[in-house]
Structures are given as C-alpha cells and as structure tokens.
Amino acid sequence: MERKAIGTTLAIRLYSLILLTIVAGLTDSATQTSAYAGERRDFTPIIYFGKMINTNSNTWKAYVQHVLKWEGKTSSNQQDSASACYPGGIHTNKGVTYCTFTKYASSLGITPVSHDRFLKLSDDEVGLFIYRFYKLVSGDKFSKDIALSLTEVAWLSGPSTAIKTLQKALNAMGREVAVDGKLGPQTIGAAKLANQKTLYEEFWKERERWLRALGSSSRYSRWLNGWLNRLNSFTGKFSPGLFTGIIGTAILATGAFFLYKRLRK
C-alpha cells in the first residue's frame, strides 16, 4: 500500500508538471499571437521545452566538441576568405578566425590580444567564442534545436546568413517574413509559433541548398563534401527529439494520466 501511495503521488506530480508546462506554453503562444495578430493570423500555437541553453549542459558541451572536431587545429590556407584577417600566416585556430579573435577576445577576458595569444587558445576559450555567436543570433529566444542550428550556421557563414536561412525556412512554411538577415520581432515571433520539428527540417534543407550552390563553383567545389559531412554530423546529433512540441507534450500527459489511473486501482 505504501509503495502504491508513493507511485500515485509521483504520477500526480508528473501530471501536474506537464499541465503547468502546457498552460505556460499556451499563455506564451497567446501573447505572441496577440502581438502579431494584425499580420500573422494563421499562426498555430506550438509548445516546446526550454528557451535558453545552459552552457554547463551536456547538449552544449557536445556541441562545442562537435565544433572542435570539425574545425581541426590551425589554418593558413590563402584561398580561405579568413586569410584576409592575417595575410601570409595562420588566420584560423580551432575555427576562430584572427578577425573574430581581435574583435571579441578582450570582452571575453582573453588577453593580450595578440597573434601569439591567438595561437594558444584552449578548447574552453574556443567555447566562449562559440557562445558569443549563440548570443549574436539571440539563441536564448529560440528553442534549443533552432538555437543550435542558428549558432552552427553563424559560426561557419556569419550571423546574417544564419538568420536568412531561418527566414527562408519560415517562408517555405508559409510564414512570409522578410529575408533581410535581420533578427526582428517578426522573424522571432514566426519562429516561436512554427512547428519546431518542421522548422528545423526546413532550416537544414535550405542550408544544404546554400552549400551546394556555393560548392558548385570551382573555387569551393573541393570543400563541398566536407561541408555536407559536417551538416549530416550535426543533424545526426542534434535533431529534435520525440518529445519536442505539442505532440510530445500530449504523449507525456497521456502517459502520466494512464499511470495515475492504473495506480489508483
């Protein structure tokens, strides 16, 4: 009887937590729908778990390791556009260009801002630069999967390209947002209220199209396979899980309800 009572209590608590999550999600979606009702009347509220990535989380640590794995060590390839940051020498270290280093190192507490210090960047310090790109695309305003996707593209191709990729993905879903590379309330609102799994899929379809178009030129063709392999590596590790969105919430709520009913017998 005591075990049954404990089980019933746990089931009730789980069910209550899920209901609170649903209410909170609907409240947030209702607020967004009201804010954009004049121009976005076709939005369907979608609930997702989490808005900000914790840099101590396993997901964030796995993402940093993903970046480090694919970036390798140093590069002095003069055909890379990053070579303009340090002509004739090493311009990229673990994915951080020397331009990015000189722009953000001081604000990240990395000194002195010199080429020698640049060459000594630790993995943890690279993580600080990656997080800066997460902030540049306002990752805290999106679901985890979209935030990481934006960060990945911003890291490789710049924040403007990442935002345009999101905007094109939203347009593919019928959201009709301006493709200007600027992260305004229209884009943020549309992304919040879109089905997160579908948005994620459209985002990476658009990214692949962009890479293939870039890789069709003779200058970049030799890197295309590497770009696509990295894309597949990312989507293989960081795709939305089963419990993303309102469908996942409904599954959890239904499971908790039946568990509660069973334990009540």
Side-chain angles (χ1 to χ4, degrees):
M1 289 297 292
E2 182 178 350
R3 182 178 298 177
K4 180 178 179 181
I6 293 173
T8 301
T9 300
L10 290 174
I12 292 173
R13 289 180 178 178
L14 176 60
Y15 190 58
S16 299
L17 178 61
I18 293 171
L19 286 176
L20 286 172
T21 301
I22 293 174
V23 171
L26 289 175
T27 300
D28 179 65
S29 295
T31 300
Q32 292 294 332
T33 303
S34 176
Y36 302 100
E39 56 183 337
R40 292 290 174 270
R41 296 182 184 279
D42 61 336
F43 282 160
T44 301
I46 297 295
I47 301 166
Y48 53 81
F49 293 104
K51 293 184 178 180
M52 184 179 294
I53 291 177
N54 184 339
T55 54
N56 290 319
S57 69
N58 290 332
T59 298
W60 179 257
K61 291 177 181 178
Y63 176 62
V64 171
Q65 289 305 310
H66 160 82
V67 173
L68 290 168
K69 171 189 173 182
W70 283 97
E71 293 296 353
K73 296 182 180 180
T74 59
S75 173
S76 58
N77 189 329
Q78 295 305 297
Q79 289 188 308
D80 191 333
S81 58
S83 63
C85 298
Y86 199 80
I90 294 174
H91 52 69
T92 304
N93 184 15
K94 300 180 181 180
V96 180
T97 67
Y98 190 58
C99 289
T100 296
F101 175 80
T102 57
K103 186 174 183 178
Y104 298 117
S106 182
S107 65
L108 296 175
I110 300 172
T111 56
V113 183
S114 65
H115 192 259
D116 183 62
R117 181 66 179 84
F118 166 70
L119 297 177
K120 297 175 181 177
L121 282 174
S122 68
D123 289 355
D124 287 342
E125 287 171 338
V126 173
L128 296 178
F129 284 96
I130 297 171
Y131 187 68
R132 176 53 64 93
F133 276 78
Y134 167 83
K135 297 295 290 182
L136 287 174
V137 293
S138 298
D140 57 329
K141 297 184 184 298
F142 299 97
S143 63
K144 177 191 67 176
D145 305 305
I146 301 303
L148 280 183
S149 298
L150 283 166
T151 305
E152 173 77 351
V153 175
W155 181 258
L156 291 168
S157 307
S160 179
T161 298
I163 295 165
K164 285 181 181 178
T165 304
L166 176 65
Q167 291 167 334
K168 289 179 181 179
L170 287 166
N171 281 326
M173 296 173 66
R175 299 302 180 184
E176 299 180 4
V177 300
V179 182
D180 57 8
K182 298 177 182 178
L183 198 57
Q186 184 190 53
T187 299
I188 294 171
K192 275 193 171 186
L193 296 173
N195 181 293
Q196 299 299 288
K197 187 174 187 299
T198 303
L199 179 57
Y200 178 92
E201 291 169 351
E202 290 296 336
F203 181 97
W204 286 103
K205 285 179 185 177
E206 176 55 39
R207 177 60 176 174
E208 182 173 345
R209 281 193 289 268
W210 189 89
L211 289 174
R212 288 187 180 278
L214 185 63
S216 65
S217 69
S218 57
R219 179 179 180 181
Y220 297 112
S221 59
R222 61 177 175 151
W223 290 316
L224 178 59
N225 286 337
W227 293 340
L228 295 178
N229 287 338
R230 175 165 178 164
L231 184 154
N232 291 329
S233 175
F234 178 94
T235 56
K237 292 177 181 176
F238 304 105
S239 60
L242 173 64
F243 299 113
T244 297
I246 196 168
I247 295 176
T249 304
I251 292 172
L252 284 172
T254 302
F257 175 74
F258 281 110
L259 176 61
Y260 167 70
K261 293 287 286 184
R262 183 170 182 176
L263 291 172
R264 288 276 293 174
K265 293 180 180 180

